[in-house]
Amino acid sequence: MKIPKIQWYPGHIAKAEKKLRETIKRVDLVIEVRDARIPISTSHLHLDKWIKDKKHLLVINRADMISDSAIYKWTKWFKERNTTPFWCDAKKGIGIKEICKAASKSRLSIDIRRESRGMKTRSIRALTLGFPNVGKSALINRIARKKVVVSARKAGVTRSLKWIRLNNGIDLLDAPGIIPPDLDNQKSALNLAICDDIGEAAYDLDSVAKEFLKIIFKLHTNPISNVSLKQISKRYSIDIDQSFKDPDQWIKLASDIHTSGNQRRMAHRLLEDFRTQMLGKICLEVPSEF
Ligand SMILES: Nc1nc2c(ncn2[C@@H]2O[C@H](COP(=O)(O)OP(=O)(O)OP(=O)(O)O)[C@@H](O)[C@H]2O)c(=O)[nH]1
Ligand SMILES: [Mg+2]
């Protein structure tokens, strides 16, 4: 891939990660949150090392942004790897009950273990861990049933660690999105950029938009991805033709029609349209590739 290297590791994440490394030792349950559009790119390489013997729940958020068949196929894929994911839409509050139930079940088994060792039971400590902007804070607000932390459409909103005491014997920790200091896997980094899961300062807008066009052109033959070239062509009034294969030409044509020839603005519009689901429920990663 000949695009400028995508790199993002703001100071607040470095600081938070350091604090988190300490705090995580005192945590009983890790609620890992991923982005349904890119469930592999939003998985942490060294998560197992962090989690160790703690209880772990895998939550795949933004389920509303991909198709039901993608959810079905991914569930099968995870189950074959001995993990049952909890799908949710933290924006609308769908799938939250199941997550709460699973967390309570973990609490019970932790209580039993403590009692059997002659220890007093106490509130269990749960941490929501994941990449920036995947919806960790939105999920916490849903679990708490009120707005207890800030959640907004931008990577890097949560800047410090914050404990929330729930009234069901669970303390929840909201933490900033954690990313590896070096985005070695540039394919994943590109997915993070497309999905707005890293700051815009990390990447070159034009080249990311062009790579996005290449990806959807490649994915459209796989029904799981749910890419409809027809829908996209209609939206921008550009026929499905060679131009899809040639992103430079597509951006040029589209910018002539929509942004007075300003290609950068067109690149931004295309990515924003994807992020706000104007192009449909598209997933950028499909199980058959992994
Ligand atoms: N469509 C959709 N949007 C969601 C979902 N969950 C969260 N969002 C939106 O995504 C944006 C980011 O959510 P946050 O809760 O701030 O994400 P975060 O993981 O806490 O982000 P950082 O604090 O930056 O790491 C907000 O605008 C939410 O409303 C979801 O399931 N579906
Ligand atoms: Mg947050």
Side-chain angles (χ1 to χ4, degrees):
M1 211 184 296
K2 274 195 223 113
I3 73 169
K5 187 165 191 261
I6 298 171
Q7 184 53 41
W8 197 60
Y9 198 59
H12 81 269
I13 291 188
K15 249 197 218 155
E17 182 172 338
K18 219 168 136 198
K19 266 200 182 153
L20 209 53
R21 278 182 191 280
E22 275 309 303
T23 315
I24 207 162
K25 291 178 194 150
R26 292 183 284 120
V27 162
D28 308 293
L29 167 70
V30 174
I31 302 175
E32 182 196 359
V33 188
R34 297 195 198 174
D35 183 330
R37 298 165 297 174
I38 47 169
I40 303 300
S41 291
T42 46
S43 72
H44 279 273
L45 261 183
H46 305 301
L47 190 79
D48 289 346
K49 224 166 57 192
W50 278 41
I51 295 179
K52 282 193 187 140
D53 54 353
K54 296 176 196 313
K55 295 217 170 273
H56 172 230
L57 286 185
L58 173 63
V59 171
I60 310 187
N61 190 37
R62 297 186 180 278
D64 56 305
M65 300 182 94
I66 66 170
S67 69
D68 289 344
S69 56
I71 292 178
Y72 176 80
K73 289 276 185 194
W74 271 120
T75 303
K76 191 163 167 274
W77 187 93
F78 277 105
K79 282 192 170 164
E80 281 162 9
R81 284 151 187 85
N82 299 320
T83 305
T84 303
F86 290 86
W87 295 92
C88 81
D89 168 356
K91 199 169 178 180
K92 288 217 183 88
I94 295 166
I96 308 298
K97 243 192 237 156
E98 289 75 13
I99 297 167
C100 291
K101 236 191 238 166
S104 295
K105 216 165 136 194
S106 298
R107 203 205 76 204
L108 277 179
S109 70
I110 291 164
D111 280 355
I112 291 168
R113 203 171 61 193
R114 288 182 74 84
E115 275 172 348
S116 72
R117 290 177 181 169
M119 293 156 92
K120 264 202 198 154
T121 58
R122 54 155 171 78
S123 290
I124 69 155
R125 304 179 188 115
L127 157 72
T128 51
L129 188 76
F131 278 71
N133 211 32
V134 295
K136 301 174 297 301
S137 299
L139 176 67
I140 288 183
N141 288 335
R142 283 290 174 186
I143 295 175
R145 292 197 197 166
K146 58 183 171 197
K147 195 167 173 283
V148 283
V149 287
V150 180
S151 158
R153 239 205 91 198
K154 192 172 164 237
V157 171
T158 306
R159 298 204 153 226
S160 54
L161 277 58
K162 186 178 173 194
W163 283 103
I164 315 296
R165 173 146 284 185
L166 305 178
N167 52 15
N168 60 353
I170 298 177
D171 290 344
L172 255 183
L173 180 62
D174 190 19
I178 300 294
I179 53 170
D182 195 7
L183 293 169
D184 285 336
N185 185 338
Q186 283 290 293
K187 202 174 163 210
S188 292
L190 175 65
N191 282 335
L192 294 170
I194 294 170
C195 292
D196 206 17
D197 291 345
I198 48 174
E200 220 175 84
Y203 54 89
D204 173 60
L205 207 60
D206 302 68
S207 42
V208 166
K210 286 172 187 168
E211 291 301 320
F212 170 68
L213 284 169
K214 280 190 207 164
I215 292 173
I216 54 172
F217 190 75
K218 192 173 149 226
L219 278 176
H220 87 276
T221 51
N222 187 332
I224 300 301
S225 71
N226 206 31
V227 172
S228 162
L229 291 190
K230 216 168 144 192
Q231 183 185 346
I232 299 169
S233 303
K234 201 169 152 210
R235 178 168 182 84
Y236 301 107
S237 315
I238 301 175
D239 283 342
I240 309 169
D241 59 9
Q242 287 300 102
S243 67
F244 248 116
K245 284 189 207 159
D246 181 350
D248 290 324
Q249 198 196 345
W250 192 94
I251 293 279
K252 192 177 173 312
L253 273 173
S255 67
D256 284 342
I257 302 171
H258 302 287
T259 53
S260 320
N262 187 324
Q263 296 193 22
R264 194 166 189 279
R265 256 178 50 219
M266 190 59 229
H268 187 252
R269 175 166 320 174
L270 174 70
L271 292 176
E272 282 297 290
D273 283 350
F274 164 70
R275 293 160 180 168
T276 51
Q277 291 184 79
M278 302 311 276
L279 309 183
K281 290 174 185 268
I282 296 176
C283 66
L284 297 181
E285 286 178 337
V286 286
S288 52
E289 280 182 13
F290 299 94

